[in-house]
Amino acid sequence: MEKGKSVSLVLSSGGARGLAHVGVIEELEKRGYHIAEIAGCSAGALVGGMYAAGKMDEFKDWICHLDRLDVFSLMDFTFSSRGFIKGEKVYNALKKVVKDCQIEDLNIPFYCNAVDYISGKEVIFREGSLYTAIRASGSIPTVFQPARHHRYELVDGGVLNPVPLSLLRKSDENMIVVVGLNAGDSELVVPPKKDSTGKSYISIPTWVSDYRDKMRQYFPEQVKEEKPASLSSISLMTRSFDLLQDRFSALLIEKHEVDISVQIARNQAGTLEFHRAEELIEIGREKAIQALDKWENENS
């Protein structure tokens, strides 16, 4: 396999936006690229792990059939101050679709990371249970409860290393493709109304449209000048952390010699909007087409 077609793939953290990774991988495959290794973080660990296990089709079929109510039902809420979602229910449901396996037995070399919040050290998974690694890597602080693994209390790998280029082992042999999920609004794209087969994502019954039009005749929408909403202390802290992570992600990419960088805007979707799977997959595909076209034209 020539270097130009052999890929070391890095999939960053980013919650539900990580479903865009699926579209990027599908576009790479369509163009004949061979993914030689995968380094993933959080959502990138989930998608990368499913692909490395050869179970992308099963995973995609499952996630694309979840609506908003399904996603909500998979959230095992708790009153714990360590995180308001236990995080076990969704993985137990996914295990019924894709069985657990050992990382060292995967079809493609796969690595992901988490952080021991007590010591502050990065923990890297290169072997052992795939779901143990994915669960730990995606333990978003204050959202999902930390994952217990041996003597560790683990949280999302994105806390220390959201774009885990450092985990790669064959980067000298391959071209490096990075998919980032925390870019600025300049990378925002208008969500597609239809998927690649022409199927509409949103179908509004005729009676709803008629009712809405009639109501507008009697109750025209009022244009109000609203003052910008002030941030609460928690929102301000979260926003500040996001800005720090966004800049850190950009610095990590700048530090390494990355061949292709596919960037998805942070505001493209919320952290838990997994019901938008089909839409986000198509956005990932669209962004991959743009990045790959540019690289191939420059290197032809």
Side-chain angles (χ1 to χ4, degrees):
M1 179 68 65
E2 58 179 308
K3 180 176 179 179
K5 285 291 186 177
S6 186
V7 171
S8 288
L9 182 62
V10 180
L11 305 177
S12 84
S13 60
R17 295 186 301 283
L19 296 172
H21 292 319
V22 177
V24 175
I25 290 173
E26 289 181 343
E27 186 60 27
L28 284 169
E29 280 196 318
K30 180 181 177 181
R31 297 185 183 221
Y33 289 92
H34 166 69
I35 299 176
E37 63 175 345
I38 301 173
C41 177
S42 194
L46 172 61
V47 175
M50 293 296 104
Y51 181 74
K55 300 295 183 179
M56 182 65 89
D57 289 342
E58 291 87 341
F59 170 73
K60 181 181 176 182
D61 182 67
W62 177 74
I63 199 76
C64 286
H65 282 86
L66 297 180
D67 59 22
R68 191 188 300 267
L69 184 58
D70 292 327
V71 173
F72 183 81
S73 69
L74 290 173
M75 300 300 167
D76 42 3
F77 296 103
T78 176
F79 291 105
S80 172
S81 60
R82 290 158 55 84
F84 63 84
I85 298 175
K86 293 180 181 178
E88 304 303 327
K89 193 173 182 180
V90 62
Y91 289 110
N92 287 335
L94 183 53
K95 284 179 184 178
K96 295 178 181 179
V97 180
V98 177
K99 302 297 183 183
D100 195 9
C101 57
Q102 299 299 298
I103 293 174
E104 58 268 32
D105 295 333
L106 297 176
N107 300 328
I108 300 171
F110 168 77
Y111 335 110
C112 69
N113 62 349
V115 175
D116 176 16
Y117 75 87
I118 296 176
S119 68
K121 294 181 179 180
E122 183 178 28
V123 176
I124 299 173
F125 291 88
R126 301 186 190 275
E127 59 184 20
S129 163
L130 176 62
Y131 277 102
T132 295
I134 291 173
R135 169 68 177 85
S137 187
S139 298
I140 304 171
T142 73
V143 178
F144 291 97
Q145 291 187 348
R148 293 183 178 181
H149 179 61
H150 299 317
R151 65 182 184 277
Y152 301 116
E153 290 273 338
L154 302 176
V155 295
D156 196 308
V159 171
L160 287 183
N161 193 4
V163 187
L165 282 148
S166 59
L167 273 58
L168 295 175
R169 287 184 166 180
K170 303 177 181 179
S171 57
D172 292 339
E173 306 169 18
N174 309 313
M175 61 183 292
I176 301 177
V177 177
V178 171
V179 186
L181 305 175
N182 301 299
D185 287 347
S186 62
E187 298 293 344
L188 269 172
V189 298
V190 177
K193 295 181 179 179
K194 298 181 179 180
D195 64 17
S196 58
T197 65
K199 175 185 174 183
S200 177
Y201 290 118
I202 302 175
S203 179
I204 302 177
T206 303
W207 70 267
V208 174
S209 300
D210 292 342
Y211 178 79
R212 181 178 58 192
D213 292 339
K214 288 180 180 179
M215 292 301 292
R216 281 176 176 169
Q217 294 177 17
Y218 298 103
F219 301 97
E221 297 178 359
Q222 299 296 317
V223 178
K224 297 181 180 179
E225 184 176 345
E226 298 182 356
K227 297 181 180 179
S230 59
L231 296 176
S232 66
S233 58
I234 294 178
S235 297
L236 181 59
M237 180 179 65
T238 301
R239 175 59 176 162
S240 298
F241 176 78
D242 287 346
L243 291 172
L244 284 170
Q245 189 179 58
D246 295 350
R247 182 54 181 156
F248 182 39
S249 298
L251 289 172
L252 286 172
I253 295 174
E254 291 174 9
K255 179 182 176 181
H256 294 79
E257 294 184 5
V258 174
D259 294 288
I260 298 175
S261 177
V262 180
Q263 293 298 314
I264 309 296
R266 171 180 288 278
N267 290 332
Q268 194 71 63
T271 301
L272 299 177
E273 290 188 302
F274 290 94
H275 60 280
R276 296 172 59 187
E278 288 185 296
E279 171 195 327
L280 290 166
I281 290 171
E282 290 307 311
I283 288 173
R285 192 190 320 279
E286 179 181 332
K287 299 292 285 188
I289 290 172
Q290 295 173 6
L292 288 167
D293 281 350
K294 179 181 178 181
W295 188 86
E296 291 173 356
N297 289 334
E298 291 176 350
N299 292 273
S300 60

